[in-house]
């Protein structure tokens, strides 16, 4: 997981597995299941992560180099630290249960910070619900072309992404953008060259990024919606999710986990690792931030309080505050990288590769 120059070989070491940065915390899975089962899941998690890194790293590094100038144009999400201290947030994911209670979010505008993952945008805009902040992590082109095709300045005013995203992400209509990193060395390498600090949110899924971002912004209560982490009718996404419509998101490999509200839920090995990662993150927030699972379906998430979304809204959505004004002010004062430093650093890299 080294980044920078390799003196032994004329190459740049730009990528390592970002999830390796949370390996010590993931060992806590042993407290959530039997040691044997947790060990098997941990092994499966890292096998999948290594495979993803092997297959995707040329795209990740290529995208980051193509987007390098964005580090000098867009503010770092570091400026968002503590900007919503003490405020409640709701994190909207696109699990099958989202269709059940999404309509309730129409009543929380400027009473909660509404954070959406990219997959949720289509369903939210269809129902006229604004996502205050939309988070993206995947480097695939479909994130911009499919997941964010309904985005607009009004419906998705604030986008938060990382340098490894497909360049099309930076053309999606919005009022403002911020940059973060998932702790990938190639992203941090370029940020170092540009002399800008990116907050790091190591994650296995974009919802993990959303949870960490809410905590980073100081939100004292975080409500999870659409975070099923389990299957319904053989699918992991809602009926209007772009990938579900394309026939994706289906699987034949399944296992069972404790369900929201009791009993068991059917999930997949990948979703089970996402679940364990959520439980680790929630455990790290214990005693500092209250996390409420208002999905009303899917898997139980250890460490969260289970409530219906209406109950969570009635209790937590209080006084009105101007979410977009706060984000606009942060954007105005956000730090960007140095063009001169980035260009000089890249030229040094090119010179090193030529020797």
């Amino acid at each position: 997981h080294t980044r920078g120059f390799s003196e032994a070989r004329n190459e740049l070491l730009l990528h390592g597995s970002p999830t390796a940065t949370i390996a010590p915390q993931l060992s806590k899975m042993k407290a959530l299941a039997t040691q044997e089962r947790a060990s098997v899941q941990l092994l499966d998690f890292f096998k999948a992560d290594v495979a993803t890194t092997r297959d995707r790293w040329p795209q990740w590094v290529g995208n980051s180099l193509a987007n390098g100038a964005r580090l000098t144009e867009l503010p770092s999400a570091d400026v968002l630290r503590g900007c919503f201290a003490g405020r409640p947030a709701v994190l909207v994911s696109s699990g099958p249960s989202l269709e059940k209670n999404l309509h309730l979010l129409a009543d929380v505008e400027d009473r909660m910070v509404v954070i959406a993952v990219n997959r949720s945008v289509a369903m939210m805009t269809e129902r006229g619900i604004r996502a205050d902040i939309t988070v993206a992590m995947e480097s695939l082109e479909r994130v911009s072309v499919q997941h964010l095709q309904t985005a607009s300045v009004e419906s998705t005013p604030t986008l938060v992404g990382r340098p490894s995203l497909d360049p099309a992400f930076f053309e999606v209509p919005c009022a403002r953008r911020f940059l973060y990193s998932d702790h990938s060395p190639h992203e941090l390498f370029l940020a170092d060259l540009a002399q800008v600090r990116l907050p790091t949110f190591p994650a296995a899924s974009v919802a993990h990024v959303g949870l960490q971002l809410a905590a980073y912004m100081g939100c004292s209560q975080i409500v999870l919606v659409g975070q099923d982490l389990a299957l319904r009718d053989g699918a992991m996404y809602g009926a209007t999710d772009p990938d579900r419509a394309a026939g994706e998101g289906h699987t034949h490999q399944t296992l069972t986990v404790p369900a929201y509200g009791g009993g068991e839920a059917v999930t997949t090995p990948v979703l089970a690792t996402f679940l364990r990662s959520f439980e680790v993150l929630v455990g790290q927030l214990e005693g500092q931030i209250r996390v409420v699972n208002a999905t009303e379906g899917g898997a139980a998430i250890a460490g969260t309080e289970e409530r219906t979304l209406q109950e969570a809204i009635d209790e937590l959505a209080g006084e009105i505050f101007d979410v977009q004004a706060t984000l606009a002010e942060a954007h105005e004062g956000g730090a960007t990288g140095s063009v001169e430093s980035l260009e000089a650093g890249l030229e040094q890299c090119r010179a090193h590769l030529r020797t």
Side-chain angles (χ1 to χ4, degrees):
H1 308 292
T2 304
R3 58 190 173 88
F5 296 123
S6 166
E7 298 299 338
R9 298 165 61 189
N10 288 337
E11 61 183 24
L12 291 174
L13 304 179
L14 291 175
H15 193 76
S17 168
T19 52
T21 60
I22 55 173
Q25 291 87 345
L26 284 175
S27 65
K28 295 179 183 177
M29 289 193 303
K30 294 181 181 179
L32 305 172
T34 66
Q35 182 171 349
E36 180 180 1
R37 181 180 178 185
S39 297
V40 169
Q41 288 179 339
L42 184 61
L43 178 60
D44 287 345
F45 181 88
F46 283 111
K47 283 170 62 178
D49 186 54
V50 168
T52 301
T53 300
R54 180 195 62 215
D55 295 339
R56 299 266 187 90
W57 76 263
Q59 181 182 43
W60 292 338
V61 174
N63 284 351
S64 291
L65 290 171
N67 297 327
R70 303 293 183 179
L71 291 164
T72 68
E73 301 166 354
L74 303 176
S76 164
D78 188 50
V79 74
L80 298 178
R81 181 195 292 268
C83 67
F84 291 113
R87 299 295 189 181
V90 57
L91 175 60
V92 187
S93 300
S94 62
S97 295
L98 184 59
E99 300 163 60
K100 180 188 305 183
N101 54 18
L102 176 61
H103 65 282
L104 297 175
L105 295 183
D107 297 328
V108 306
E109 186 170 309
D110 284 331
R111 297 168 64 210
M112 303 180 80
V113 183
V114 180
I115 304 171
V117 305
N118 49 271
R119 288 184 178 278
S120 306
V121 168
M123 192 182 302
M124 293 176 69
T125 54
E126 182 181 288
R127 289 162 174 75
I129 298 170
R130 184 184 75 190
D132 293 315
I133 300 172
T134 301
V135 183
M137 184 185 82
E138 284 279 0
S139 61
L140 301 175
E141 185 181 10
R142 69 184 182 195
V143 168
S144 306
V145 176
Q146 294 180 9
H147 298 173
L148 299 178
Q149 61 182 338
T150 61
S152 68
V153 173
E154 295 76 23
S155 64
T156 54
T158 302
L159 301 183
V160 179
R162 63 193 188 103
S164 295
L165 287 166
D166 186 271
F169 170 81
F170 297 96
E171 305 302 326
V172 173
C174 69
R176 62 194 70 87
R177 288 180 178 81
F178 297 92
L179 293 175
Y180 76 95
S181 173
D182 73 341
H183 209 279
S184 294
H186 64 275
E187 293 179 342
L188 298 181
F189 179 74
L190 290 174
D192 285 348
L193 293 185
Q195 297 182 347
V196 64
R197 180 189 182 279
L198 299 182
T200 56
F201 305 129
S205 80
V206 66
H208 298 142
V209 175
L211 179 63
Q212 292 176 84
L213 176 62
Y216 192 79
M217 295 189 300
C219 297
S220 55
Q221 305 96 21
I222 304 171
V223 179
L224 307 179
V225 182
Q227 196 58 62
D228 288 69
L229 298 166
L231 305 178
R232 190 175 72 185
D233 299 326
M236 63 181 72
Y237 307 126
T240 59
D241 182 274
D243 287 343
R244 165 119 174 208
E248 299 182 29
H250 295 261
T251 182
H252 298 291
Q253 253 190 316
T254 61
L255 64 152
T256 59
V257 294
Y260 176 101
E264 292 186 330
V266 178
T267 190
T268 72
V270 171
L271 289 177
T273 60
F274 290 175
L275 170 62
R276 301 307 173 205
S277 297
F278 250 111
E279 292 172 336
V280 168
L281 290 171
V282 171
Q284 292 174 333
L285 301 177
E286 186 177 2
Q288 309 168 58
I289 296 172
R290 181 181 174 191
V291 183
V292 177
N293 184 3
T295 296
E296 300 184 50
I301 303 175
T304 65
E305 302 175 30
E306 291 188 356
R307 299 283 189 277
T308 67
L309 181 55
Q310 188 62 65
E311 289 171 341
I313 290 173
D314 290 344
E315 179 186 354
L316 301 177
E319 63 181 12
I320 293 176
F321 58 101
D322 196 331
V323 177
Q324 292 307 308
T326 300
L327 292 169
E329 182 179 355
H331 190 266
E332 283 294 314
T336 58
S338 162
V339 176
E340 294 78 10
S341 178
L342 177 63
E343 290 179 350
L346 289 175
E347 179 53 38
Q348 183 183 5
C349 293
R350 287 189 286 268
H352 181 83
L353 290 171
R354 287 193 294 266
T355 59

